[in-house]
Amino acid sequence: MSKVSALYPGSFDPPTNGHLDLIERGAKIFEELVVGILRNTEKSPMFSLAERLEMLKTLTAHLKNVRIEAFHGLMVEYAKSIDATCVLRGIRAVSDYEYELQMALMNRKLEPTLETVFMMPADKYSYVSSRLVREVAQIGGPVKGLVPEVVEQKLREKLEPAYKFHDEMQAATARASGGKEKRKKKT
Ligand code: PNS
């Protein structure tokens, strides 16, 4: 079989453990895997393109056949420009399927020679999405185990006031419930 290069496109805002799991799986079956970060002009991302590039480069440094790049415009045109013959996308649950099917068929209409390949991340990441990670982190909630440590650190730096407020509230709640326990014991 000839060399198969695949493109794994996405927003990666931020990269999650689910993304990384899929990249590692993809790197095992494709000769070359390009992770293409969409230079998204409509949505305002939490992480700049430069930050997402840096995080993903760090996270995939151990995978020699993986390259991290940015793209804009039509994904199929970018795939063609880098000689990718496959597009890799992750499917976590049935709920992903409809959107992914629609996108894959539209991409096939735009470029019939490009095949979309779906892979499943480990089931422990089946509920993890960048959107939910952003939502939890914006309230200062814990994202340990959902994103790689470097991403967790970046989220803490970016959302420091939210984490500080959340940690202070937690500490105050713990103090208050400690006081209640003491009063209960006395009575
Ligand atoms: O991680 P995401 O946000 O689910 O990834 C979506 C992405 C980047 C794969 C998709 O929005 C995309 O390919 N955008 C580029 C523009 C394009 O080609 N649109 C037509 C899609 S059918």
Side-chain angles (χ1 to χ4, degrees):
M1 209 168 96
S2 59
K3 174 178 164 237
V4 180
S5 288
L7 167 65
Y8 178 29
S11 308
F12 306 103
D13 184 35
T16 66
N17 279 342
H19 290 134
L20 203 61
D21 181 274
L22 212 75
I23 294 170
E24 281 171 352
R25 286 172 200 278
K28 282 189 198 140
I29 64 165
F30 298 111
E31 273 73 17
E32 187 184 44
L33 182 66
V34 176
V35 178
I37 308 173
L38 178 67
R39 190 191 301 262
N40 205 334
T41 45
E42 283 160 33
K43 293 189 220 166
S44 50
M46 176 180 272
F47 287 96
S48 69
L49 182 62
E51 286 173 313
R52 285 177 282 159
L53 274 166
E54 191 198 312
M55 284 188 280
L56 278 164
K57 278 185 182 166
T58 306
L59 293 168
T60 58
H62 60 296
L63 302 167
K64 297 300 163 221
N65 59 339
V66 172
R67 211 166 73 230
I68 311 297
E69 289 191 357
F71 78 99
H72 65 276
L74 276 181
M75 187 273 289
V76 293
E77 288 175 359
Y78 172 65
K80 218 169 173 191
S81 76
I82 57 165
D83 294 324
T85 50
C86 270
V87 172
L88 173 64
R89 289 287 290 174
I91 292 213
R92 291 162 297 192
V94 179
S95 49
D96 282 340
Y97 181 72
E98 243 177 281
Y99 169 64
E100 292 297 335
L101 176 72
Q102 210 179 4
M103 198 156 65
L105 293 178
M106 176 61 86
N107 285 330
R108 180 180 283 166
K109 171 83 181 123
L110 294 168
E111 180 48 66
T113 61
L114 194 66
E115 287 297 339
T116 299
V117 172
F118 294 124
M119 288 180 81
M120 294 157 292
D123 57 350
K124 62 182 171 183
Y125 302 131
S126 62
Y127 62 94
V128 179
S129 71
S130 296
R131 184 180 63 79
L132 286 181
V133 164
R134 286 198 304 272
E135 195 170 317
V136 171
Q138 266 159 348
I139 311 168
V143 291
K144 200 175 178 58
L146 309 180
V147 294
E149 268 175 37
V150 284
V151 177
E152 194 186 344
Q153 194 51 42
K154 280 259 175 201
L155 282 164
R156 277 200 165 262
E157 283 165 22
K158 198 169 274 291
L159 303 165
E160 207 201 326
Y163 274 99
K164 210 168 157 225
F165 180 71
H166 180 264
D167 291 350
E168 279 167 10
M169 290 300 281
Q170 293 281 92
T173 311
R175 276 198 303 275
S177 66
K180 241 188 233 168
E181 280 301 308
K182 269 188 198 161
R183 279 195 296 278
K184 246 192 221 170
K185 275 185 190 155
K186 272 187 186 167
T187 55

